[in-house]
Amino acid sequence: DAKTTQPPSMDCAEGRAANLPCNHSTISGNEYVYWYRQIHSQGPQYIIHGLKNNETNEMASLIITEDRKSSTLILPHATLRDTAVYYCIVSLSSNDYKLSFGAGTTVTVRA
Amino acid sequence: GAGVSQSPSNKVTEKGKDVELRCDPISGHTALYWYRQSLGQGLEFLIYFQGNSAPDKSGLPSDRFSAERTGGSVSTLTIQRTQQEDSAVYLCASSPPGQGTGNTIYFGEGSWLTVV
């Protein structure tokens, strides 16, 4: 059973914000929302994670709804190098290392 | 410091041969993971090492696959009598001990294995 649902693809104009949605309606109270991305021919790269509060780091912002059933990853100023597959996953805070990446969202940033 | 390092980056081998893939985790990281990713597919968990605890081998697809971690650092994934369906990217990852706000996993670039 897929724990998260993401759109298969989306396009974004260079320099604009990219908003990537993720539904995780069955998330449990102690599960975190993680975002990774995978640029072609490279290993997955950690982006950000959160539990309840919105989070921001140098790469992105994560907005989690109050009921925690969905979240949005925001890339504030997309560049061509942000073209990648973006994965939203839910994971426990510890020992849930059997990560399951679904199909993700293929984001294409266009000049 | 350096990230997770894997070698070889690319390996082409003949069916039936054995291969060894190496992973150097980030210094200080106690947890080490191996995953497999076939073309266009998601990640498939293989094996997990945490400190001196017994590894979780539940993801290994067959007894042709084995892995060891020496001295709590470097790990080797061995595939014996390789088959064409073993062709994939083998990803190693590591994470630091005891993060209070979730386990952030850092991946290497992968070892691309092609069995011909």
Side-chain angles (χ1 to χ4, degrees), chain A residues 10 12-18 20 37-40 45 47 58-60 73-86 105-110:
Chain A
M10 65 181 296
C12 178
E14 188 178 21
R16 304 294 295 269
L20 283 63
R37 73 179 182 183
Q38 190 167 24
I39 297 170
H40 182 62
Q45 177 189 23
I47 301 174
E58 65 277 6
M59 291 183 67
L73 179 74
I74 301 173
L75 307 177
H77 305 286
T79 71
L80 298 178
R81 288 176 294 181
D82 291 324
T83 293
V85 180
Y86 286 76
T105 297
T106 300
V107 174
T108 303
V109 180
R110 303 190 186 279

Side-chain angles (χ1 to χ4, degrees), chain B residues 23 33 36 49 75 88 113 116:
Chain B
C23 173
Y33 321 73
R36 178 169 71 174
F49 296 89
S75 176
L113 175 66
V116 297

